[in-house]
Amino acid sequence: FDPETSQIRICSNVMEYAPQKIFNTLMSHELIHAYDHCRAQVDWSNMEHFACSEIRATVLSGECHYKAQKKRGRPCGQGAIDLCVKPRTTHSLQLMGMKEQNAINTVNKVYHHCINDTAPFDWIP
């Protein structure tokens, strides 16, 4: 999601051979960012805001759904979602230039609030 233009951009060369399910997950992820941009007036330069939207997009898009985790050979039991969402969000913050420990601290600071914000859904799909 590009907040400057309020557009979702997906490069066709990246998705050319990807299965429909991967495209759907990616589009869902980006649509959550767009929703957050409109609903919460996210300040994308504020890394807490960025982390919160990334947590929500990762969870609500199904990236860390137990079936996806099982397919990857990762834990699927209680608490497994945290083991998926936190590292993915931390990595996204690092891609934005944050040092690893600062990224971990930022994710931990906003995690509980953001993972429980399931809007526009009533629960995690």
Side-chain angles (χ1 to χ4, degrees):
F1 175 73
D2 180 358
E4 302 225 350
T5 61
S6 295
Q7 294 179 342
I8 294 172
R9 295 183 184 167
I10 299 174
C11 298
S12 62
N13 63 328
V14 173
M15 296 306 299
E16 187 173 2
Y17 301 107
Q20 184 68 43
K21 187 166 180 81
I22 290 175
F23 175 81
N24 293 350
T25 301
L26 175 63
M27 184 59 84
S28 297
H29 181 107
E30 297 306 321
L31 283 168
I32 295 298
H33 288 314
Y35 178 84
D36 287 348
H37 182 72
C38 294
R39 173 192 71 141
Q41 285 114 31
V42 174
D43 174 0
W44 295 101
S45 64
N46 179 324
M47 289 297 104
E48 289 182 14
H49 289 196
F50 182 91
C52 190
S53 186
E54 195 62 33
I55 289 164
R56 288 175 29 73
T58 300
V59 170
L60 298 174
S61 68
E63 288 175 60
C64 291
H65 189 272
Y66 77 93
K67 287 182 183 177
Q69 287 297 86
K70 187 174 182 179
K71 196 173 195 178
R72 293 181 193 118
R74 301 219 173 100
C76 303
Q78 188 173 359
I81 197 164
D82 299 346
L83 297 174
C84 177
V85 175
K86 286 183 174 184
R88 285 173 173 262
T89 305
T90 299
H91 180 71
S92 292
L93 291 174
Q94 288 178 279
L95 291 174
M96 297 300 291
M98 283 189 95
K99 301 258 187 235
E100 183 177 17
Q101 193 55 56
N102 289 343
I104 290 168
N105 292 344
T106 301
V107 169
N108 287 336
K109 182 175 181 181
V110 300
Y111 188 77
H112 181 72
H113 170 76
C114 300
I115 200 163
N116 288 307
D117 179 0
T118 60
F121 307 104
D122 292 331
W123 57 81
I124 296 173

